[in-house]
Amino acid sequence: MGSVDVPVVVGLDNGGTSDNATVLTLDGRFLVDGLLEIPSEVQAGPEAAIEALARALDGVLAHTGVPRELVRAVGLDTPGPASATGVISSRGSTNFAQPAWHGYDVRGALERRLGLPVVYHNDGNAAALYAHHVHFGAEAMVRSSVSAIVGTGLGGGVVENGRVVTGAAGMAGEFGHVHIPLTGLLAPGQPEPTCACGFVGDAESIASLTGIRRSLLPFWLARHPDHPLAAEPADRAAKLLRGYAERGDELAREVFAQQAAALGRLFTIAANFTDPHAYFVGGGVVEAAPEFREWFLATVRENTVLRVEQAAVATFALVPDRDMAGARGVAIAALEALRAAPAPQPTLAA
């Protein structure tokens, strides 16, 4: 690519295995069309991971031909749980299991390493922000949305007037741990599902890959012991299930119908709390064949109870560009932070 001579922000998406990077000009153009990944090194500890993020920034600038002096800010997202300012939970997490990560200020460390302002969101909030801005475009700053991101767990985000609602401790939008009504959702004799967090019957206990492996699939396979997945190890069976659902397998569709119904009940709760303009669904569950993902989204909508007035203005949609959503979302957050910053005041002579 040729060199760029306009100011930019950089978005860095940190994951368990890879870092992805993007560049956004201050006039709103993304300069990277797809994934631009390098190993994230998170298993090697915080120092190695911060260096990997610095390499990711250098790499995306080289790729786009942007001189470093034109970078005004950096957006960073990581998996949670973490505070609103980017301090990893004191108990760690799946991706940040080593003791050195517990309570680690990843945002502050990257800011010191780069010498640039760093804006932080968790990966669910970042994807939510990207979905919101892509969907609403020029109206993004006067619209609201909620997003549910289904993966190993269930993340999400609340966006109000174009900005993520973080909450006092940075834990707003943790939809996975909202309790949902189970009556009519579970089949006769189906045990109440438990979440890895210890809750019984929260949304993540059903609408997540972990929920499939721990609760949903064992129950359905016990009722259908001749199903091909019954012969597979639990982890592998859970990961293969979506392929069966794409092909119309009845048992697989039963499982995903329960997940979609759980998300619908979650969105019903959200409708009564925030009454958003849009409800977005993202994550691995919808990285699937078009027929399956449209069926899944329609099933979510059918299980979301809205008032007539709400239904008239609400939209249901999929999070676009899932693999790029994190980096692009935090790039947008960095750009919005720049726009919201007060202009420097002139110094008056004595």
Side-chain angles (χ1 to χ4, degrees), residues 139-270:
E139 294 187 322
M141 302 309 287
V142 292
R143 293 288 182 269
S144 59
S145 64
V146 294
S147 298
I149 314 296
V150 186
T152 304
L154 177 60
V158 179
V159 178
E160 186 68 37
N161 292 330
R163 294 191 173 88
V164 171
V165 177
T166 56
M171 295 178 181
E174 289 290 343
F175 287 134
H177 306 300
V178 173
H179 286 84
I180 59 172
L182 298 179
T183 304
L185 175 60
L186 302 179
Q190 186 171 4
E192 291 188 349
T194 58
C195 182
C197 76
F199 283 167
V200 177
D202 65 7
E204 185 174 300
S205 70
I206 300 170
S208 65
L209 181 64
T210 304
I212 288 176
R213 180 179 57 79
R214 286 168 58 113
S215 301
L216 305 189
L217 197 51
F219 170 75
W220 288 103
L221 288 178
R223 298 183 69 174
H224 300 277
D226 296 332
H227 194 280
L229 288 178
E232 299 283 355
D235 284 353
R236 178 169 164 79
K239 291 175 181 175
L240 290 173
L241 187 69
R242 192 183 70 194
Y244 278 83
E246 288 177 302
R247 297 188 292 274
D249 179 82
E250 286 188 26
L251 179 145
R253 290 282 173 125
E254 286 278 8
V255 172
F256 284 106
Q258 287 192 313
Q259 289 205 329
L263 292 179
R265 291 175 180 221
L266 184 63
F267 283 161
T268 301
I269 294 169

Side-chain angles (χ1 to χ4, degrees), residues 20-342:
N20 180 44
T22 195
V23 175
L24 176 63
T25 64
L26 264 55
D27 58 4
R29 292 176 291 122
F30 283 105
L31 302 182
V32 181
D33 291 332
L35 288 173
L36 198 64
E37 292 185 313
I38 65 167
S40 65
E41 309 290 352
V42 293
Q43 299 304 321
E47 290 184 12
I50 293 296
E51 287 305 312
L53 286 165
R55 285 195 299 277
L57 180 135
D58 290 340
V60 78
L61 294 181
H63 176 79
T64 53
V66 177
R68 187 183 172 97
E69 56 268 24
L70 288 178
V71 180
R72 297 292 181 262
V74 173
L76 169 68
D77 79 271
T78 74
S83 75
T85 55
V87 177
I88 303 300
S89 166
S90 60
R91 299 174 62 181
S93 72
T94 302
N95 280 26
F96 305 112
Q98 296 165 310
W101 279 112
H102 298 186
Y104 185 77
D105 179 5
V106 64
R107 188 208 64 80
L110 184 63
E111 189 168 83
R112 289 189 296 275
R113 171 64 179 80
L114 298 179
L116 290 163
V118 176
V119 174
Y120 175 85
H121 283 301
N122 69 45
D123 53 2
N125 283 346
L129 189 63
Y130 179 60
H132 182 93
H133 279 263
V134 170
H135 185 82
F136 289 114
E139 294 187 322
M141 302 309 287
V142 292
R143 293 288 182 269
S144 59
S145 64
V146 294
S147 298
I149 314 296
V150 186
T152 304
L154 177 60
V158 179
V159 178
E160 186 68 37
N161 292 330
R163 294 191 173 88
V164 171
V165 177
T166 56
M171 295 178 181
E174 289 290 343
F175 287 134
H177 306 300
V178 173
H179 286 84
I180 59 172
L182 298 179
T183 304
L185 175 60
L186 302 179
Q190 186 171 4
E192 291 188 349
T194 58
C195 182
C197 76
F199 283 167
V200 177
D202 65 7
E204 185 174 300
S205 70
I206 300 170
S208 65
L209 181 64
T210 304
I212 288 176
R213 180 179 57 79
R214 286 168 58 113
S215 301
L216 305 189
L217 197 51
F219 170 75
W220 288 103
L221 288 178
R223 298 183 69 174
H224 300 277
D226 296 332
H227 194 280
L229 288 178
E232 299 283 355
D235 284 353
R236 178 169 164 79
K239 291 175 181 175
L240 290 173
L241 187 69
R242 192 183 70 194
Y244 278 83
E246 288 177 302
R247 297 188 292 274
D249 179 82
E250 286 188 26
L251 179 145
R253 290 282 173 125
E254 286 278 8
V255 172
F256 284 106
Q258 287 192 313
Q259 289 205 329
L263 292 179
R265 291 175 180 221
L266 184 63
F267 283 161
T268 301
I269 294 169
N272 286 288
F273 264 93
T274 67
D275 187 23
H277 292 94
Y279 301 83
F280 298 117
V281 179
V285 72
V286 292
E287 289 298 302
E291 185 276 332
F292 171 80
R293 64 175 184 251
E294 293 303 327
W295 166 82
F296 188 86
L297 184 64
T299 308
V300 172
R301 177 182 282 187
E302 288 165 11
N303 285 274
T304 304
V305 180
L306 301 178
R307 293 177 174 83
V308 172
E309 297 88 346
Q310 293 175 312
V313 296
T315 300
F316 287 74
L318 301 174
V319 175
D321 307 317
R322 173 180 167 253
D323 289 338
M324 296 185 290
R328 288 188 166 193
V330 285
I332 291 169
L335 179 57
E336 292 302 332
L338 282 179
R339 289 173 173 167

